[in-house]
Amino acid sequence: MAKQECLIVLSSSDLGVSAPSFLQCYKLTQSAFSIQIAAPEAKAPTFIDKDDQSSRWLNDIASKNLLNPKPLTEIEAGRYSCIVIPHSPGASEDLASSTPLGKILTHFLSEKKPVCAIGLGVCALLSAVKGDSQQWAFRDIALTGSSLSEVTATSYFASLPLIPGDAILDRAGIFSTGAPASVHIVVNAGVVTGQNPQSTLSAVQNMILLANQRQTKGK
């Protein structure tokens, strides 16, 4: 049986993508899926929170030409079985208002394909609207994401154009968080969200489980 394909979407904003969260997403999905990385205008991501080990991993992936993003405008959503957006402060700046990403996400929701977003990567879900009313597509789905206390403790807080909780509640969405820095995920209607980088492992594992269940059912 051919491998399913997984789309990993990265921000191109200078605010960056969490290196630890991305690497966990990448390592967990590469064994089960063929991976395609995508970003606005195919711009290479800026990775933050790197240490020696994560830098080595990123260099290794880049040396194999596996870190070259495809532009979101060229992504054929029908090819992919699941989509992952790691923790990325930059998502609040570019992915949250990305029309191409919004179209991809609405396809995933309509086809009941698993969607996974972590921490500030949850801001990317704000891009998806549906119908003439332009209602937010995730409005009726329970979500989590970076909490206010977690975000205010970061060095980049003042640069963020929005934070998940406020933006989701402004759109009449459903949002909750656990204790700061705790592992906390919400799984609802095929959408898996993780509160913070610490929740990446659990969130992606649950997404993989959903994708495998969907494939087993032949959908």
Side-chain angles (χ1 to χ4, degrees):
M1 185 179 294
K3 269 189 175 183
Q4 299 182 80
E5 295 193 52
C6 174
L7 182 65
I8 299 180
V9 178
L10 303 181
S11 168
S12 294
S13 163
D14 290 339
L15 287 171
V17 175
S18 162
S21 183
F22 164 71
L23 287 171
Q24 279 200 308
C25 291
Y26 187 89
K27 291 183 211 177
L28 286 167
T29 54
Q30 70 168 345
S31 59
F33 304 94
S34 296
I35 295 173
Q36 176 64 61
I37 295 174
E41 300 177 2
K43 183 181 174 185
T46 298
F47 287 105
I48 61 171
D49 301 329
K50 292 187 290 186
D51 57 18
D52 289 344
Q53 183 178 20
S54 60
S55 293
R56 285 195 297 272
W57 265 98
L58 290 169
N59 289 337
D60 181 61
I61 296 170
S63 70
K64 298 172 183 174
N65 294 320
L66 299 175
L67 256 184
N68 299 329
K70 192 171 185 177
L72 285 168
T73 51
E74 294 182 10
I75 293 298
E76 298 175 24
R79 289 185 53 183
Y80 302 96
S81 301
C82 54
I83 184 170
V84 187
I85 306 155
H87 174 59
S88 41
S92 66
E93 189 167 67
D94 60 358
L95 298 182
S97 57
S98 169
T99 299
L101 177 59
K103 291 178 180 178
I104 293 167
L105 288 169
T106 53
H107 164 82
F108 271 75
L109 288 179
S110 66
E111 295 295 320
K112 296 181 172 56
K113 296 178 181 180
V115 173
C116 179
I118 298 140
L120 287 168
V122 172
C123 292
L125 305 184
L126 300 171
S127 63
V129 294
K130 59 183 181 180
D132 294 336
S133 64
Q134 295 292 285
Q135 179 178 304
W136 187 42
F138 289 84
R139 179 175 176 176
D140 298 321
I141 299 173
L143 306 170
T144 189
S146 298
S147 67
L148 180 60
S149 59
E150 288 171 323
V151 172
T152 53
T154 65
S155 60
Y156 46 76
F157 170 61
S159 301
L160 294 174
L162 53 84
I163 55 176
D166 289 349
I168 288 169
L169 295 175
D170 284 347
R171 289 161 175 78
I174 307 165
F175 184 80
S176 65
T177 58
S182 66
V183 174
H184 178 72
I185 70 166
V186 172
V187 183
N188 185 218
V191 178
V192 185
T193 47
Q195 178 172 322
N196 45 37
Q198 296 91 327
S199 304
T200 303
L201 176 66
S202 182
V204 176
Q205 286 176 331
N206 275 269
M207 183 213 68
I208 292 172
L209 180 62
L210 290 174
N212 288 338
Q213 288 174 341
R214 187 175 182 276
Q215 185 185 44
T216 300
K217 292 176 182 178
K219 295 183 179 178

